[in-house]
Amino acid sequence: MSIHNSYFSRNNTIVLSGDTNTGRNPIIELYYGDGNVKVPFGFSRCIFDIDLDELILKYNQGIISTECGDVTHTLRMVNTSSFNRDFLNAKTSDEKERATSFDLILWRIPYEDYNETLPQYWDEGVGYDFTDLSSEPGDRNYSVRPSNWFKRQTLYDWEQDGIYDNTNVGVFPFSALTIVDIQHFEFGNEDIEFDMTNEINSIINGSLVNPVGWGISFLPQLENLTGTTRAYYTGFFSRHTQTFYEPRLETVYDDLIEDDRNNFTLGKVNKLYLFSYEDGNFMNLDENPFVTIKDQSGTPIPGLVNLPTCLKTQGVYEVTIPPLLGYPTNCLFTDTWSNIKLNGFSLPDIINEFVMYPIQNSIQIGTSTFDPSIYGFDFYGVKQDEKILNTDIRKVGVIIKKAYTTNKRLPKVEGYYRVYVREGQTEVQVQDWTKLNKTPNEYYFIFDTRDKIPNEYFVDLKVISNGEINTYKRTIKFQIVNKK
């Protein structure tokens, strides 16, 4: 499994019946209620757009493929109250109370006149403050330039003030909104985790055209709530935060390679792979190949002729072979890959070999137990404490060895890695425990720095064997830096 992060290209918080712009503010503040607070009054809504160019490119290149596994897209925004439980049921300096027990909705910014050829393009703006402090010399943080509640750009208004009307009247009522997801907040300090899978997939496959962004707001029942004694508030880091917690769309896709060529076992499901390169770079074939499995005498095995394959990731094709029974073991079998086409030309079949091993090779049944193992690691593809440009894609090879030896590699272990940064004593997760890719000659993982925020990164490794889980902390450390 791998992760691709897509970041906001613009965001803003618009305030009920106000022309204030807060596009540059590092915090997205959502309110409802009235507590004698001068600004904002009533409620606010967040709008944002996401830069999907790199994500779409990865789809077009086949790096992200849906042929062999699912892809999910989750909007993640960090709550400014998530770090300290003392903020629960507390007030801010201007007497706004932190909200609890509420729902937020994620919705798509609508087209004008419900016409997909008339997207409502909007600008982020240059404002920062909610209140006008322009009387102070040199203050340039307050702005009423678009976008705001009324206007999306200098020459264009929103078709409906505030984008939609929460009382179901007007040009664009709430009932006409496309609701993407809804999330309940019990304590008010939870992070946003909106499921945008169907929405983003619709953009990728072309069924959703000209999207200009999305919005987040309280349910209309809360926005229209009367009789409150104060404003209730929740906040999330915006794209202008100076912290690591920039909002993002997290795309999780299955590119895990688990090649059984060196450990093809009788009676088990096995997977084989074909790797396609051009001048050392992965390339996709014109069509997916087919695979035929032949036994030790060269005879095609019934049911295993012209097996379909799927594109796992760019230049990598996977075939899943159902359990084989009744065949001799420790004998040489072949897998023939046919329908190899590149740039319109048909290429010769690719014939590979593997040995069929007995199931006892991977299962131990008896009266004895195995002693716990201690592991050591070597790496290639990244250096310890290396400074890496945020334009690099690194293949990090992991050599798993028996500890205190120099050359005894252990090819039959289950290895995992996780990536994180540190904020003081807190580990901020970048990628959760993920299986290492396994090919006949190496373990490795791919680390794409292009969608990572410059910071110091750490990699932990975990090995599972003999019923034990052994975690090795901060095995690799490196920095991602901006390219000047």
Side-chain angles (χ1 to χ4, degrees):
M1 307 295 286
S2 289
I3 291 175
H4 174 83
N5 294 311
S6 304
Y7 297 95
F8 287 10
S9 57
R10 59 181 65 86
N11 60 226
N12 189 22
T13 305
I14 60 176
V15 180
L16 173 65
S17 299
D19 54 9
T20 301
N21 173 273
T22 62
R24 290 193 300 118
N25 198 297
I27 304 297
I28 292 169
E29 297 184 349
L30 295 176
Y31 303 83
Y32 73 92
D34 175 18
N36 296 318
V37 180
K38 183 178 180 181
V39 177
F41 177 87
F43 56 85
S44 61
R45 296 168 181 168
C46 160
I47 55 175
F48 65 92
D49 199 3
I50 305 173
D51 184 353
L52 298 175
D53 289 348
E54 286 293 329
L55 179 65
I56 293 172
L57 179 61
K58 283 189 173 182
Y59 268 94
N60 292 338
Q61 293 174 334
I63 295 173
I64 299 177
S65 172
T66 59
E67 293 185 17
C68 299
D70 295 331
V71 179
T72 62
H73 307 280
T74 304
L75 178 67
R76 297 193 180 276
M77 299 175 65
V78 176
N79 196 309
T80 57
S81 303
S82 62
F83 308 100
N84 191 339
R85 293 185 66 85
D86 292 340
F87 291 151
L88 293 178
N89 202 31
K91 294 185 177 68
T92 62
S93 58
D94 55 0
E95 291 302 306
K96 294 191 295 289
E97 188 169 315
R98 295 189 184 275
T100 63
S101 186
F102 60 88
D103 291 338
L104 291 180
I105 54 173
L106 173 67
W107 39 273
R108 187 193 310 156
I109 294 177
Y111 304 112
E112 189 172 339
D113 293 332
Y114 303 91
N115 187 337
E116 65 182 23
T117 66
L118 299 173
Q120 297 192 82
Y121 295 111
W122 58 280
D123 293 329
E124 181 177 62
V126 295
Y128 186 100
D129 290 336
F130 282 96
T131 54
D132 185 2
L133 302 176
S134 58
S135 59
E136 298 183 10
D139 182 79
R140 295 186 298 173
N141 290 326
Y142 183 76
S143 175
V144 294
R145 303 304 303 276
S147 57
N148 52 44
W149 186 264
F150 304 108
K151 303 187 75 68
R152 54 188 179 91
Q153 292 177 329
T154 300
L155 299 179
Y156 301 100
D157 296 338
W158 294 108
E159 184 179 31
Q160 170 73 53
D161 291 348
I163 303 178
Y164 68 89
D165 184 273
N166 61 16
T167 62
N168 276 332
V169 297
V171 178
F172 200 94
F174 172 79
S175 59
L177 268 185
T178 298
I179 305 299
V180 179
D181 198 11
I182 183 170
Q183 181 179 340
H184 182 70
F185 292 75
E186 181 177 2
F187 301 107
N189 66 343
E190 297 90 346
D191 295 338
I192 281 177
E193 296 180 357
F194 282 127
D195 183 3
M196 296 188 69
T197 299
N198 292 335
E199 189 80 353
I200 301 302
N201 285 346
S202 296
I203 296 174
I204 299 297
N205 63 33
S207 59
L208 173 58
V209 298
N210 297 326
V212 294
W214 295 266
I216 300 172
S217 59
F218 292 103
L219 286 171
Q221 296 91 321
L222 285 177
E223 289 186 339
N224 294 322
L225 194 64
T226 60
T228 57
T229 58
R230 58 177 57 91
Y232 296 90
Y233 150 89
T234 186
F236 302 91
F237 291 104
S238 81
R239 81 182 191 99
H240 295 288
T241 179
Q242 298 301 307
T243 71
F244 185 75
Y245 306 110
E246 190 172 335
R248 70 191 192 279
L249 177 75
E250 179 186 85
T251 299
V252 179
Y253 57 99
D254 181 8
D255 63 347
L256 177 64
I257 297 171
E258 296 182 288
D259 201 325
D260 295 308
R261 187 169 299 279
N262 287 351
N263 193 35
F264 200 103
T265 304
L266 186 72
K268 293 179 63 178
V269 174
N270 295 276
K271 294 181 179 181
L272 298 175
Y273 295 81
L274 181 71
F275 300 87
S276 176
Y277 296 92
E278 182 177 21
D279 297 328
N281 298 313
F282 282 112
M283 65 173 183
N284 297 328
L285 301 172
D286 295 350
E287 301 176 9
N288 288 5
F290 298 102
V291 177
T292 297
I293 305 298
K294 298 181 180 180
D295 63 19
Q296 73 280 6
S297 65
T299 303
I301 297 176
L304 301 184
V305 177
N306 288 334
L307 291 172
T309 65
C310 60
L311 180 68
K312 191 69 173 181
T313 187
Q314 186 178 26
V316 181
Y317 294 87
E318 176 187 273
V319 62
T320 300
I321 302 168
L324 294 176
L325 298 172
Y327 287 88
T329 56
N330 296 316
C331 292
L332 199 62
F333 286 62
T334 60
D335 50 300
T336 300
W337 298 70
S338 58
N339 191 44
I340 309 297
K341 296 180 180 179
L342 181 64
N343 297 329
F345 293 95
S346 295
L347 302 178
D349 292 350
I350 305 296
I351 302 175
N352 300 314
E353 299 175 338
F354 61 90
V355 174
M356 178 88 72
Y357 292 101
I359 196 166
Q360 293 88 340
N361 209 47
S362 59
I363 297 176
Q364 295 80 37
I365 301 176
T367 59
S368 61
T369 61
F370 288 87
D371 293 330
S373 298
I374 301 176
Y375 299 94
F377 305 92
D378 284 336
F379 307 93
Y380 53 90
V382 63
K383 298 177 182 178
Q384 200 71 260
D385 295 314
E386 183 179 359
K387 289 181 171 61
I388 305 174
L389 292 177
N390 63 349
T391 55
D392 287 5
I393 303 175
R394 295 293 183 94
K395 177 181 178 181
V396 182
V398 181
I399 300 173
I400 305 176
K401 306 182 298 182
K402 188 173 182 180
Y404 314 119
T405 66
T406 58
N407 56 8
K408 189 172 182 180
R409 299 190 181 190
L410 300 173
K412 297 180 182 180
V413 295
E414 197 170 336
Y416 295 77
Y417 74 100
R418 68 181 285 254
V419 184
Y420 58 94
V421 302
R422 290 174 59 84
E423 295 275 349
Q425 297 301 312
T426 302
E427 295 179 354
V428 182
Q429 182 170 282
V430 175
Q431 181 156 339
D432 201 0
W433 288 110
T434 303
K435 259 190 175 183
L436 293 169
N437 292 310
K438 181 186 69 173
T439 67
N441 61 318
E442 63 181 345
Y443 291 95
Y444 72 93
F445 64 90
I446 301 294
F447 194 78
D448 190 342
T449 69
R450 296 174 300 175
D451 64 332
K452 304 298 186 296
I453 297 173
N455 210 309
E456 185 174 53
Y457 286 77
F458 300 86
V459 179
D460 291 348
L461 291 174
K462 179 171 67 177
V463 177
I464 300 177
S465 67
N466 302 332
E468 284 200 337
I469 300 175
N470 295 285
T471 302
Y472 301 84
K473 297 289 292 179
R474 304 178 204 169
T475 311
I476 311 175
K477 181 178 68 172
F478 56 89
Q479 293 183 43
I480 296 178
V481 297
N482 279 319
K483 182 180 180 181
K484 292 183 179 180

